[in-house]
Amino acid sequence: FVFGFGCLVCWGCTASEVRSARNMLMPHMRKPLPREDADEDHVDIAGRDGRASEVPLSSRDPPVFERLALAHALAQSVRL
């Protein structure tokens, strides 16, 4: 997901796919941040026992609206 305030949120992408998405967006950026000012986070959700937890989003496949809502929340928190 790409947000107009300058955040890209990727779900289940490889590092190569994220790099490719960033490169495709570069021509459309007005003032890209220097690499050292950009944030990159990886989020894994795990239970108390350390095992990966499943987060049920919806019965739809893929759960686009739920992913969009979570991506927007993450993007807003980075933007602050």
Side-chain angles (χ1 to χ4, degrees):
F1 297 99
V2 179
F3 297 98
F5 47 84
C7 288
L8 167 69
V9 178
C10 300
W11 285 83
C13 296
T14 65
S16 175
E17 291 168 332
V18 173
R19 236 182 346 271
S20 179
R22 258 192 261 141
N23 289 339
M24 288 189 324
L25 293 171
M26 275 300 192
H28 306 286
M29 293 185 191
R30 292 183 193 147
K31 289 173 36 181
L33 286 175
R35 187 77 176 158
E36 62 273 5
D37 291 338
D39 288 329
E40 186 173 314
D41 291 315
H42 301 273
V43 178
D44 292 316
I45 300 171
R48 291 177 189 235
D49 59 1
R51 291 186 299 156
S53 296
E54 287 191 32
V55 179
L57 295 175
S58 79
S59 59
R60 288 184 297 237
D61 188 27
V64 177
F65 295 118
E66 289 88 345
R67 286 183 179 183
L68 175 59
L70 287 169
H72 190 264
L74 290 169
Q76 287 285 31
S77 69
V78 170
R79 185 173 173 229
L80 298 174

